[in-house]
Amino acid sequence: MNHSQSSDNILLREDKEGAVYLTLNRPDKFNTLSEAMLTALQKELDTIAVDPTVRCVVIAANGRGFCAGHDLREMRAHPDQAYYQMLFRNCSRLMQSVVALPVPVIAKVQGMATAAGCQLVASCDLAIAAESASFAVSGINVGLFCSTPAVALSRSIAPKRAFDMLISGNFIDAATALEWGLLSGVTADADLDAAMAGKVAQILSKSPAAVRFGKSMFHPQRQMALAEAYEFAGKVMAENMMSPDAGEGIDAFLAKRQPVWGQPGH
């Protein structure tokens, strides 16, 4: 198990049995995505992206809230359009890096996830929240429509529900977020750690190669026309079939035994 910290400890990293846990650590600021936080997260994701031994990533947060979005005080200190474009470009790159990462990314959510914090949840492949968690894209309340969060949100939930959240700034609770598709699971607050551990263990029990093949095709095919999506998925599945793990998995199934997966990175 490895631990590392970056940028004055605002982001914590723990490596455990192929899973990487990234924990936002500005609890007194509700883990806002300051420039330093964006930089620290981007650095870790870039490192993980080229590490063949990583099998899944959990994004969590310390304190009462998951993430309150951009640091508004920092933004007001730089009243310059070029600065804002740079900031939103860097945030958008981070969100796209989550989607493009070759392994599943799971958000572990407690408390509030608002604006770009809600965007981060929407960008993750899976998201498990405590039942007391709440979600909003509330920039509209301070005169700022959450345009970049809208990109991830509208690809995660139905457009009319997304626009209603964006134009009203209203919060939704975890049960509603689950029903609408923003979350993949909700659990009692006291059971959040156990639920996350169970989901990570489930992913780690699968073929590392098959999981990576799956992540590589799932998001791109959603942007394709139907025939193109099937063509792309067929190529990925054929390549997956040629992997040693697929041969081992099918042979094990036919022989009624447990498969022995190859190690990631080999």
PDB file of all heavy atoms in Angstrom, residues 1 11 28 51 66 76 99 105 114 120 143 150 153 160 173 193 201 205 212 219 235 240:
ATOM      1  N   MET A   1       0.854  -1.188   0.000  1.00  0.00           N
ATOM      2  CA  MET A   1       0.000   0.000   0.000  1.00  0.00           C
ATOM      3  C   MET A   1       0.890   1.238   0.000  1.00  0.00           C
ATOM      4  O   MET A   1       1.768   1.374   0.835  1.00  0.00           O
ATOM      5  CB  MET A   1      -0.900  -0.004   1.237  1.00  0.00           C
ATOM      6  CG  MET A   1      -1.920   1.124   1.269  1.00  0.00           C
ATOM      7  SD  MET A   1      -2.806   1.190   2.857  1.00  0.00           S
ATOM      8  CE  MET A   1      -3.480  -0.474   2.938  1.00  0.00           C
ATOM      9  N   LEU A  11      -4.570  17.070  -2.088  1.00  0.00           N
ATOM     10  CA  LEU A  11      -5.017  15.833  -2.722  1.00  0.00           C
ATOM     11  C   LEU A  11      -4.195  14.684  -2.162  1.00  0.00           C
ATOM     12  O   LEU A  11      -2.969  14.719  -2.201  1.00  0.00           O
ATOM     13  CB  LEU A  11      -4.854  15.908  -4.245  1.00  0.00           C
ATOM     14  CG  LEU A  11      -5.333  14.672  -5.015  1.00  0.00           C
ATOM     15  CD1 LEU A  11      -6.847  14.518  -4.907  1.00  0.00           C
ATOM     16  CD2 LEU A  11      -4.922  14.763  -6.484  1.00  0.00           C
ATOM     17  N   ASP A  28     -12.187  22.316   4.739  1.00  0.00           N
ATOM     18  CA  ASP A  28     -12.661  23.619   5.219  1.00  0.00           C
ATOM     19  C   ASP A  28     -13.196  24.483   4.089  1.00  0.00           C
ATOM     20  O   ASP A  28     -13.914  25.456   4.326  1.00  0.00           O
ATOM     21  CB  ASP A  28     -11.534  24.363   5.942  1.00  0.00           C
ATOM     22  CG  ASP A  28     -10.294  24.534   5.085  1.00  0.00           C
ATOM     23  OD1 ASP A  28      -9.986  23.610   4.299  1.00  0.00           O
ATOM     24  OD2 ASP A  28      -9.635  25.581   5.187  1.00  0.00           O
ATOM     25  N   ASP A  51      -0.191   3.858 -16.400  1.00  0.00           N
ATOM     26  CA  ASP A  51       0.237   2.817 -15.457  1.00  0.00           C
ATOM     27  C   ASP A  51      -0.584   1.557 -15.687  1.00  0.00           C
ATOM     28  O   ASP A  51      -1.765   1.500 -15.333  1.00  0.00           O
ATOM     29  CB  ASP A  51       0.046   3.313 -14.019  1.00  0.00           C
ATOM     30  CG  ASP A  51       0.598   2.331 -12.987  1.00  0.00           C
ATOM     31  OD1 ASP A  51       0.872   1.168 -13.349  1.00  0.00           O
ATOM     32  OD2 ASP A  51       0.744   2.733 -11.818  1.00  0.00           O
ATOM     33  N   PHE A  66     -18.601  16.673  -0.583  1.00  0.00           N
ATOM     34  CA  PHE A  66     -17.758  16.073  -1.622  1.00  0.00           C
ATOM     35  C   PHE A  66     -16.982  17.159  -2.364  1.00  0.00           C
ATOM     36  O   PHE A  66     -15.755  17.177  -2.369  1.00  0.00           O
ATOM     37  CB  PHE A  66     -18.628  15.260  -2.579  1.00  0.00           C
ATOM     38  CG  PHE A  66     -17.860  14.662  -3.737  1.00  0.00           C
ATOM     39  CD1 PHE A  66     -17.017  13.586  -3.540  1.00  0.00           C
ATOM     40  CD2 PHE A  66     -17.999  15.176  -5.027  1.00  0.00           C
ATOM     41  CE1 PHE A  66     -16.305  13.027  -4.602  1.00  0.00           C
ATOM     42  CE2 PHE A  66     -17.303  14.620  -6.093  1.00  0.00           C
ATOM     43  CZ  PHE A  66     -16.446  13.553  -5.883  1.00  0.00           C
ATOM     44  N   ARG A  76     -13.052  35.412  -8.495  1.00  0.00           N
ATOM     45  CA  ARG A  76     -13.299  36.853  -8.413  1.00  0.00           C
ATOM     46  C   ARG A  76     -11.997  37.644  -8.286  1.00  0.00           C
ATOM     47  O   ARG A  76     -11.954  38.834  -8.590  1.00  0.00           O
ATOM     48  CB  ARG A  76     -14.223  37.169  -7.233  1.00  0.00           C
ATOM     49  CG  ARG A  76     -15.677  36.815  -7.476  1.00  0.00           C
ATOM     50  CD  ARG A  76     -16.286  37.608  -8.607  1.00  0.00           C
ATOM     51  NE  ARG A  76     -16.462  39.018  -8.283  1.00  0.00           N
ATOM     52  CZ  ARG A  76     -16.428  39.996  -9.175  1.00  0.00           C
ATOM     53  NH1 ARG A  76     -16.189  39.739 -10.442  1.00  0.00           N
ATOM     54  NH2 ARG A  76     -16.615  41.249  -8.795  1.00  0.00           N
ATOM     55  N   VAL A  99     -13.136  10.494 -18.102  1.00  0.00           N
ATOM     56  CA  VAL A  99     -13.856   9.657 -19.068  1.00  0.00           C
ATOM     57  C   VAL A  99     -12.887   8.794 -19.881  1.00  0.00           C
ATOM     58  O   VAL A  99     -13.154   7.626 -20.152  1.00  0.00           O
ATOM     59  CB  VAL A  99     -14.711  10.536 -20.004  1.00  0.00           C
ATOM     60  CG1 VAL A  99     -15.380   9.682 -21.080  1.00  0.00           C
ATOM     61  CG2 VAL A  99     -15.758  11.311 -19.205  1.00  0.00           C
ATOM     62  N   VAL A 105     -13.648   4.634 -13.126  1.00  0.00           N
ATOM     63  CA  VAL A 105     -13.496   5.663 -12.097  1.00  0.00           C
ATOM     64  C   VAL A 105     -14.818   5.749 -11.326  1.00  0.00           C
ATOM     65  O   VAL A 105     -15.886   5.898 -11.931  1.00  0.00           O
ATOM     66  CB  VAL A 105     -13.157   7.036 -12.706  1.00  0.00           C
ATOM     67  CG1 VAL A 105     -12.935   8.067 -11.593  1.00  0.00           C
ATOM     68  CG2 VAL A 105     -11.921   6.950 -13.599  1.00  0.00           C
ATOM     69  N   THR A 114     -21.799  20.123  -5.783  1.00  0.00           N
ATOM     70  CA  THR A 114     -22.462  21.213  -6.495  1.00  0.00           C
ATOM     71  C   THR A 114     -21.601  21.740  -7.632  1.00  0.00           C
ATOM     72  O   THR A 114     -20.373  21.676  -7.587  1.00  0.00           O
ATOM     73  CB  THR A 114     -22.787  22.381  -5.535  1.00  0.00           C
ATOM     74  OG1 THR A 114     -21.591  22.843  -4.923  1.00  0.00           O
ATOM     75  CG2 THR A 114     -23.762  21.937  -4.468  1.00  0.00           C
ATOM     76  N   LEU A 120     -18.137  16.561 -11.767  1.00  0.00           N
ATOM     77  CA  LEU A 120     -17.169  15.492 -11.529  1.00  0.00           C
ATOM     78  C   LEU A 120     -17.879  14.163 -11.283  1.00  0.00           C
ATOM     79  O   LEU A 120     -17.476  13.121 -11.810  1.00  0.00           O
ATOM     80  CB  LEU A 120     -16.278  15.866 -10.341  1.00  0.00           C
ATOM     81  CG  LEU A 120     -15.166  14.889  -9.960  1.00  0.00           C
ATOM     82  CD1 LEU A 120     -14.235  14.624 -11.130  1.00  0.00           C
ATOM     83  CD2 LEU A 120     -14.384  15.419  -8.761  1.00  0.00           C
ATOM     84  N   GLY A 143     -25.770  34.177 -10.716  1.00  0.00           N
ATOM     85  CA  GLY A 143     -25.697  34.832 -12.015  1.00  0.00           C
ATOM     86  C   GLY A 143     -24.804  34.152 -13.028  1.00  0.00           C
ATOM     87  O   GLY A 143     -24.426  34.756 -14.041  1.00  0.00           O
ATOM     88  N   ALA A 150     -22.956  21.497 -17.436  1.00  0.00           N
ATOM     89  CA  ALA A 150     -24.097  21.038 -18.241  1.00  0.00           C
ATOM     90  C   ALA A 150     -23.697  19.964 -19.239  1.00  0.00           C
ATOM     91  O   ALA A 150     -24.508  19.086 -19.567  1.00  0.00           O
ATOM     92  CB  ALA A 150     -24.726  22.225 -18.979  1.00  0.00           C
ATOM     93  N   LEU A 153     -23.523  16.726 -17.185  1.00  0.00           N
ATOM     94  CA  LEU A 153     -24.826  16.422 -16.601  1.00  0.00           C
ATOM     95  C   LEU A 153     -25.825  15.966 -17.659  1.00  0.00           C
ATOM     96  O   LEU A 153     -26.558  14.990 -17.457  1.00  0.00           O
ATOM     97  CB  LEU A 153     -25.366  17.646 -15.854  1.00  0.00           C
ATOM     98  CG  LEU A 153     -26.638  17.427 -15.039  1.00  0.00           C
ATOM     99  CD1 LEU A 153     -26.364  16.491 -13.853  1.00  0.00           C
ATOM    100  CD2 LEU A 153     -27.206  18.753 -14.540  1.00  0.00           C
ATOM    101  N   LYS A 160     -34.277  17.255 -20.138  1.00  0.00           N
ATOM    102  CA  LYS A 160     -35.195  18.169 -19.453  1.00  0.00           C
ATOM    103  C   LYS A 160     -34.931  18.215 -17.956  1.00  0.00           C
ATOM    104  O   LYS A 160     -35.060  19.272 -17.322  1.00  0.00           O
ATOM    105  CB  LYS A 160     -36.648  17.802 -19.765  1.00  0.00           C
ATOM    106  CG  LYS A 160     -37.078  18.203 -21.170  1.00  0.00           C
ATOM    107  CD  LYS A 160     -38.537  17.902 -21.417  1.00  0.00           C
ATOM    108  CE  LYS A 160     -38.989  18.477 -22.768  1.00  0.00           C
ATOM    109  NZ  LYS A 160     -38.261  17.903 -23.910  1.00  0.00           N
ATOM    110  N   ASP A 173     -31.939  15.169  -3.945  1.00  0.00           N
ATOM    111  CA  ASP A 173     -31.335  14.273  -2.954  1.00  0.00           C
ATOM    112  C   ASP A 173     -30.765  13.037  -3.642  1.00  0.00           C
ATOM    113  O   ASP A 173     -30.909  12.849  -4.855  1.00  0.00           O
ATOM    114  CB  ASP A 173     -32.341  13.908  -1.856  1.00  0.00           C
ATOM    115  CG  ASP A 173     -33.582  13.200  -2.390  1.00  0.00           C
ATOM    116  OD1 ASP A 173     -33.550  12.654  -3.519  1.00  0.00           O
ATOM    117  OD2 ASP A 173     -34.604  13.193  -1.661  1.00  0.00           O
ATOM    118  N   ASP A 193     -18.463   3.388   3.196  1.00  0.00           N
ATOM    119  CA  ASP A 193     -17.141   2.773   3.042  1.00  0.00           C
ATOM    120  C   ASP A 193     -17.268   1.317   2.607  1.00  0.00           C
ATOM    121  O   ASP A 193     -16.555   0.861   1.704  1.00  0.00           O
ATOM    122  CB  ASP A 193     -16.350   2.846   4.351  1.00  0.00           C
ATOM    123  CG  ASP A 193     -15.852   4.255   4.660  1.00  0.00           C
ATOM    124  OD1 ASP A 193     -15.886   5.114   3.757  1.00  0.00           O
ATOM    125  OD2 ASP A 193     -15.431   4.484   5.814  1.00  0.00           O
ATOM    126  N   ALA A 201     -13.897  -4.314  -4.901  1.00  0.00           N
ATOM    127  CA  ALA A 201     -13.563  -5.740  -4.889  1.00  0.00           C
ATOM    128  C   ALA A 201     -14.200  -6.467  -6.069  1.00  0.00           C
ATOM    129  O   ALA A 201     -13.584  -7.362  -6.675  1.00  0.00           O
ATOM    130  CB  ALA A 201     -14.014  -6.377  -3.573  1.00  0.00           C
ATOM    131  N   SER A 205     -12.112  -8.357  -9.076  1.00  0.00           N
ATOM    132  CA  SER A 205     -12.280  -9.798  -9.271  1.00  0.00           C
ATOM    133  C   SER A 205     -12.409 -10.170 -10.748  1.00  0.00           C
ATOM    134  O   SER A 205     -12.320 -11.351 -11.102  1.00  0.00           O
ATOM    135  CB  SER A 205     -13.518 -10.293  -8.519  1.00  0.00           C
ATOM    136  OG  SER A 205     -14.720  -9.900  -9.181  1.00  0.00           O
ATOM    137  N   ARG A 212     -10.494  -3.229 -19.097  1.00  0.00           N
ATOM    138  CA  ARG A 212      -9.903  -2.160 -19.916  1.00  0.00           C
ATOM    139  C   ARG A 212     -10.516  -2.133 -21.322  1.00  0.00           C
ATOM    140  O   ARG A 212     -10.762  -1.060 -21.868  1.00  0.00           O
ATOM    141  CB  ARG A 212      -8.385  -2.327 -19.993  1.00  0.00           C
ATOM    142  CG  ARG A 212      -7.691  -1.858 -18.706  1.00  0.00           C
ATOM    143  CD  ARG A 212      -6.181  -2.037 -18.756  1.00  0.00           C
ATOM    144  NE  ARG A 212      -5.572  -1.398 -17.584  1.00  0.00           N
ATOM    145  CZ  ARG A 212      -4.811  -0.310 -17.606  1.00  0.00           C
ATOM    146  NH1 ARG A 212      -4.537   0.272 -18.766  1.00  0.00           N
ATOM    147  NH2 ARG A 212      -4.299   0.200 -16.504  1.00  0.00           N
ATOM    148  N   HIS A 219     -17.683   4.489 -23.665  1.00  0.00           N
ATOM    149  CA  HIS A 219     -17.980   5.912 -23.878  1.00  0.00           C
ATOM    150  C   HIS A 219     -17.908   6.328 -25.349  1.00  0.00           C
ATOM    151  O   HIS A 219     -18.811   7.036 -25.818  1.00  0.00           O
ATOM    152  CB  HIS A 219     -17.088   6.784 -22.997  1.00  0.00           C
ATOM    153  CG  HIS A 219     -17.335   6.583 -21.535  1.00  0.00           C
ATOM    154  ND1 HIS A 219     -18.534   6.893 -20.930  1.00  0.00           N
ATOM    155  CD2 HIS A 219     -16.549   6.079 -20.550  1.00  0.00           C
ATOM    156  CE1 HIS A 219     -18.470   6.596 -19.645  1.00  0.00           C
ATOM    157  NE2 HIS A 219     -17.282   6.097 -19.392  1.00  0.00           N
ATOM    158  N   LYS A 235     -15.150  -4.883 -33.331  1.00  0.00           N
ATOM    159  CA  LYS A 235     -13.682  -4.923 -33.408  1.00  0.00           C
ATOM    160  C   LYS A 235     -13.064  -5.055 -32.023  1.00  0.00           C
ATOM    161  O   LYS A 235     -12.134  -5.841 -31.810  1.00  0.00           O
ATOM    162  CB  LYS A 235     -13.162  -3.662 -34.103  1.00  0.00           C
ATOM    163  CG  LYS A 235     -13.431  -3.631 -35.598  1.00  0.00           C
ATOM    164  CD  LYS A 235     -12.928  -2.336 -36.222  1.00  0.00           C
ATOM    165  CE  LYS A 235     -13.196  -2.314 -37.724  1.00  0.00           C
ATOM    166  NZ  LYS A 235     -12.790  -1.025 -38.333  1.00  0.00           N
ATOM    167  N   ASN A 240     -10.685  -8.443 -27.778  1.00  0.00           N
ATOM    168  CA  ASN A 240     -10.843  -8.973 -26.429  1.00  0.00           C
ATOM    169  C   ASN A 240     -10.835 -10.503 -26.444  1.00  0.00           C
ATOM    170  O   ASN A 240     -10.209 -11.146 -25.598  1.00  0.00           O
ATOM    171  CB  ASN A 240     -12.147  -8.440 -25.833  1.00  0.00           C
ATOM    172  CG  ASN A 240     -12.341  -8.719 -24.342  1.00  0.00           C
ATOM    173  OD1 ASN A 240     -13.249  -8.179 -23.733  1.00  0.00           O
ATOM    174  ND2 ASN A 240     -11.502  -9.558 -23.750  1.00  0.00           N
TER     175      ASN A 240
END
